[in-house]
Amino acid sequence: QPARCGGLNVDSGINGLASVLEGDGDAYTYIITGDSSSELKIIEGGGGKFVANGTYTSQIFDAGSDVYFNSFAVNHIVPSSTSIQYEVAVATAVNNSCSGVTFSYAGPFATSSALPSTTDNAAYQNPGRCIKYKVTFSTADPTQTPILYDINFNYSL
């Protein structure tokens, strides 16, 4: 769960970034921005702590009405000694809103997959109006990390 820990402000977007972990544990991120007065920004951080895994949970997507979520497709890179696992949760709206909905996940899936309509988890449901996903990244090698570029969901009425 990322948290704001400084005063970095990028008004015109980020065009690229690269991170470097030095042998002594110092970590730096180089950021190329669209800000004409400061196109290169450097952040020092990390303190040399190797993190072997982390989880990202998406925001809720509201399909506007109940739909059947058929499948998802991912564009990712998973080097050896790393892994990515995906979990997907679908729910019906409460009071015509996805706010406050309780989600129960299906998975984990290692790659693009068809989504179930039911699972052993009775709380998971599909079809539904609201969907979100969770991605768990793992690595055993501090020089390798899995990368998720994008995820797309296919659904039908």
Side-chain angles (χ1 to χ4, degrees):
Q1 300 283 339
R4 184 170 174 82
C5 60
L8 180 64
N9 187 22
V10 179
D11 295 325
S12 300
I14 295 175
N15 298 325
L17 62 89
S19 296
V20 175
L21 179 62
E22 295 180 337
D24 63 358
D26 295 331
Y28 298 92
T29 300
Y30 299 87
I31 303 172
I32 302 167
T33 75
D35 294 353
S36 60
S37 63
S38 56
E39 293 177 330
L40 176 65
K41 298 181 183 202
I42 302 171
I43 300 173
E44 179 183 9
K49 182 181 175 188
F50 170 66
V51 178
N53 58 53
T55 302
Y56 168 78
T57 302
S58 74
Q59 294 181 334
I60 299 168
F61 171 75
D62 184 343
S65 64
D66 280 350
V67 298
Y68 183 81
F69 290 92
N70 302 305
S71 61
F72 70 95
V74 295
N75 179 12
H76 65 202
I77 295 176
V78 185
S80 62
S81 76
T82 73
S83 69
I84 298 180
Q85 290 189 330
Y86 303 92
E87 296 175 78
V88 178
V90 179
T92 57
V94 174
N95 296 325
N96 204 31
S97 173
C98 290
S99 296
V101 170
T102 301
F103 286 97
S104 183
Y105 289 91
F109 307 99
T111 188
S112 303
S113 179
L115 292 173
S117 57
T118 58
T119 65
D120 292 335
N121 178 352
Y124 173 81
Q125 54 189 313
N126 190 8
R129 175 175 164 175
C130 314
I131 187 171
K132 70 179 187 174
Y133 62 93
K134 186 178 356 179
V135 184
T136 303
F137 302 88
S138 299
T139 183
D141 182 347
T143 66
Q144 298 290 321
T145 185
I147 300 169
L148 171 62
Y149 289 107
D150 55 55
I151 184 168
N152 294 286
F153 289 90
N154 173 283
Y155 61 92
S156 56
L157 299 175

